[in-house]
Amino acid sequence: MDNFFQAALAEARQGLAEGGIPIGSVLVHEGKILGRGHNRRVQQSSVILHGEMDALENAGRQAAHIYHQSILYTTLSPCPMCTGAILLYGIPRVIIGENKTYMGAEDLLKQKGVEVIILNDPECIRLMESFILENPGLWNEDIGEEDANDD
């Protein structure tokens, strides 16, 4: 398996170990990881630190041509917010660990010319299925849906 995808998966596992949501991401340019991150909404009490956003933030400011030559690896299909960041910075290729537990805005990425590769990695699927089963309220909060149990 691809080392960059493994790095994103390691980020997802780290997020879960910290008590957060197990989604990880890495931004890669010319064979080098520029930034890595994981969903830290719980840990940082943040409204925007999804895995992809954390990886972009940790990559720091880059010249436009760097983003235009980069690949974003993420363990879960990007939500509309993260899709917006991918499009804003012109990242041309996104490799997604899985989209079985959550289908993000992949169609928008494709419509805008982004190459989208879905791995449907069994470990990513198991990780998310287990998390969602054990934490439905937190998961619904993360994807912006109401949970009948949260009053």
Side-chain angles (χ1 to χ4, degrees), residues 8 11-12 23-26 35-40 50-52 54-55 58:
E11 287 291 327
I23 302 166
S25 184
V26 295
R36 59 178 61 229
H38 52 276
N39 187 306
R40 294 190 305 142
H50 282 192
E52 300 90 338
D54 194 37
N58 289 330

Side-chain angles (χ1 to χ4, degrees), residues 111-150:
Q111 287 171 8
K112 297 293 187 177
V114 175
E115 180 184 7
V116 175
I117 298 169
I118 291 113
L119 303 176
N120 278 325
D121 177 75
E123 186 173 354
C124 282
I125 295 168
R126 278 192 304 273
L127 193 62
M128 286 308 301
E129 284 177 342
S130 175
F131 178 81
I132 292 167
L133 185 65
E134 294 171 12
N135 304 280
L138 182 55
W139 173 242
N140 286 329
E141 173 191 321
D142 197 60
I143 59 172
E145 294 186 10
E146 288 188 40
D147 180 26
N149 297 325
D150 284 351

Side-chain angles (χ1 to χ4, degrees), residues 46-69:
S46 170
V47 297
I48 62 167
L49 281 181
H50 282 192
E52 300 90 338
M53 302 298 274
D54 194 37
L56 288 168
E57 178 69 15
N58 289 330
R61 183 175 165 205
Q62 302 292 325
H65 77 275
I66 300 294
Y67 294 113
H68 296 172
Q69 299 167 355

